């Protein structure tokens, strides 16, 4: 049991160390799940260390802070940070995938025409500003937009033919200061 625990301890920590070296030396080639693998290596190594210590000496229960408690706290903090790192990488990958999907399918989103009493200063490509009012009652019309989503009191719009390289997201308050007409994308 003592030797097996030593092997598990060494393999777990060595695996975590090798994965960390891969991340540091080749950051562009790392996979999304590498932080989770490092965390798993740390957990396995810490478990091997715990089993090895239990096999060597019987457990003594105390309430004071011991080096073992500090080790466990350190492993817990490192694993928690690694899990946040891995989750962040995964969320970024999902976001990039969604952006590529929107780029490919932006023409399928509903059209949007925005009317405002004040100039909005929208400078996104393919968006046209037209004066639709009079000098006494100005009204500006913005066309060439696609509805992305309405959320949190905001209207998120993409410009026509939106791309990752040249597109913009137009964000307007959904508070009655603008009027938005939505249309069917297939009717265009």
């Amino acid at each position: 049991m003592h030797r097996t625990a030593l092997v598990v301890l060494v393999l777990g920590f060595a695996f975590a160390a090798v994965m960390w070296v891969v991340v540091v030396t080749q950051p562009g080639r790392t996979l999304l799940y590498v932080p989770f693998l490092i965390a798993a290596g740390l957990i396995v190594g810490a478990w091997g260390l715990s089993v090895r210590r239990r096999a060597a000496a019987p457990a003594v229960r105390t309430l004071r802070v011991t080096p073992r408690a500090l080790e466990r706290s350190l492993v817990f903090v490192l694993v928690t940070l690694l899990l946040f790192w891995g989750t962040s990488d995964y969320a970024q990958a999902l976001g990039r995938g969604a952006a590529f999907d929107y780029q490919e399918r932006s023409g399928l989103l509903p059209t949007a025409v925005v009317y405002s009493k004040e100039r909005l200063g929208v400078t996104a490509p393919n968006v046209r500003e037209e004066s639709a009012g009079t000098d006494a009652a100005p009204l500006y019309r913005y066309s060439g937009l696609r509805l992305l989503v309405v959320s949190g009191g905001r209207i998120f719009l993409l410009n026509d033919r939106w791309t990752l390289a040249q597109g913009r997201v137009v964000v307007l308050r959904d508070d009655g200061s603008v009027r938005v007409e939505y249309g069917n994308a297939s009717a265009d």
Side-chain angles (χ1 to χ4, degrees):
M1 183 71 149
H2 189 53
R3 285 188 188 144
T4 305
L6 180 62
V7 169
V8 168
L9 175 145
V10 170
L11 288 178
F13 287 142
F15 180 76
V18 167
M19 289 291 107
W20 179 255
V21 169
V22 168
V23 166
V24 171
T25 59
Q26 300 176 353
R29 296 185 64 195
T30 26
L31 301 171
L32 283 177
Y33 51 82
V34 169
F36 300 115
L37 293 176
I38 296 171
L42 284 175
I43 290 170
V44 168
W47 177 71
L49 181 61
S50 177
V51 169
R52 185 169 183 263
R53 284 184 177 151
R54 282 192 198 134
V60 176
R61 300 241 178 215
T62 62
L63 293 177
R64 58 191 168 102
V65 177
T66 63
R68 289 182 191 174
L70 291 175
E71 285 174 8
R72 288 181 180 159
S73 297
L74 179 63
V75 168
F76 176 78
V77 168
L78 287 174
V79 168
T80 301
L81 290 173
L82 287 164
L83 292 177
F84 275 116
W85 174 22
T87 304
S88 171
D89 284 355
Y90 180 71
Q92 287 178 4
L94 281 180
R96 282 190 297 273
F100 282 118
D101 188 46
Y102 279 120
Q103 178 175 302
E104 295 299 317
R105 299 170 191 240
S106 65
L108 301 174
L109 295 172
T111 60
V113 179
V114 177
Y115 294 91
S116 174
K117 293 179 181 178
E118 298 177 12
R119 265 201 147 118
L120 299 177
V122 178
T123 60
N126 304 316
V127 176
R128 293 165 301 286
E129 177 187 87
E130 302 167 358
S131 179
T134 63
D135 288 340
L139 184 65
Y140 298 95
R141 179 180 187 267
Y142 296 89
S143 59
L145 294 164
R146 301 281 178 161
L147 174 65
L148 180 60
V149 68
V150 177
S151 177
R154 304 260 191 261
I155 304 168
F156 296 85
L157 305 163
L158 299 178
N159 57 292
D160 272 342
R161 295 183 292 283
W162 183 87
T163 64
L164 288 169
Q166 303 256 339
R168 298 226 174 38
V169 177
V170 177
V171 182
L172 303 173
R173 287 191 190 103
D174 188 15
D175 62 359
S177 62
V178 295
R179 182 176 57 123
V180 184
E181 292 179 354
Y182 303 108
N184 187 351
S186 62
D188 293 339

